[in-house]
Amino acid sequence: MSEPISGGPRVVVGAAIRDGRAILAAERAYPPELAGLWEFPGGKLEPGETEAEALRRECREELGVAIAVGERVTGDLATGGGRFLLRVYYAEIESGEPRAKEHAELRWLLPGDLDSVPWLPGNRPAVEAIREALAE
């Protein structure tokens, strides 16, 4: 499940970290063509890692927090011109305070604030699913 099919898209995971009704959004600092766009923290799976393990590692590295990984937000989302499959999971912080170690900025967004930042296009379907889920 974590290894791409030869020549197929690589799996990337993102954490929709919740604090009540707020979701943590992260502003890309690089590469230049993506700087200023917002995403869910996360990254690529390493060989032999499960998706949950990759999310925990990435959140430790990028934010300095330990997380508990929950259910998937949406199905697979094609990103990067089809080179990647994004899988976004709900998560909660178990310990630590999020710090922008690799991002330009972090922001907690309530459902009504989700459109206040320019999201990476591949993250948009997950943003919409989260908005609907939090509106209930």
Side-chain angles (χ1 to χ4, degrees):
M1 178 156 94
S2 66
E3 294 297 320
I5 298 168
S6 181
R10 183 155 183 201
V11 174
V12 177
V13 290
I17 299 173
R18 292 178 66 165
D19 183 6
R21 294 183 68 234
I23 295 288
L24 188 66
E27 182 184 8
R28 294 288 304 240
Y30 58 88
E33 63 272 16
L34 299 180
L37 296 176
W38 292 70
E39 67 180 357
F40 299 106
K44 299 177 189 91
L45 269 68
E46 298 296 335
E49 252 182 344
T50 67
E51 292 171 11
E53 289 167 344
L55 273 178
R56 287 192 290 271
R57 175 184 51 76
E58 289 284 353
C59 287
R60 235 183 356 263
E61 293 171 0
E62 293 182 5
L63 307 172
V65 297
I67 62 164
V69 179
E71 65 186 38
R72 285 263 301 264
V73 173
T74 62
D76 291 349
L77 304 173
T79 66
R83 292 177 321 201
F84 302 102
L85 281 183
L86 173 62
R87 295 177 177 163
V88 179
Y89 290 83
Y90 286 111
E92 292 187 1
I93 295 174
E94 292 183 318
S95 65
E97 191 64 36
R99 295 183 322 275
K101 297 168 108 180
E102 297 183 14
H103 291 91
E105 181 183 349
L106 300 176
R107 200 178 290 174
W108 289 102
L109 301 175
L110 290 167
D113 300 326
L114 288 171
D115 289 329
S116 67
V117 299
W119 291 91
L120 285 167
N123 284 242
R124 262 331 235 167
V127 171
E128 297 308 322
I130 289 166
R131 180 193 331 274
E132 288 179 25
L134 295 180
E136 295 174 354

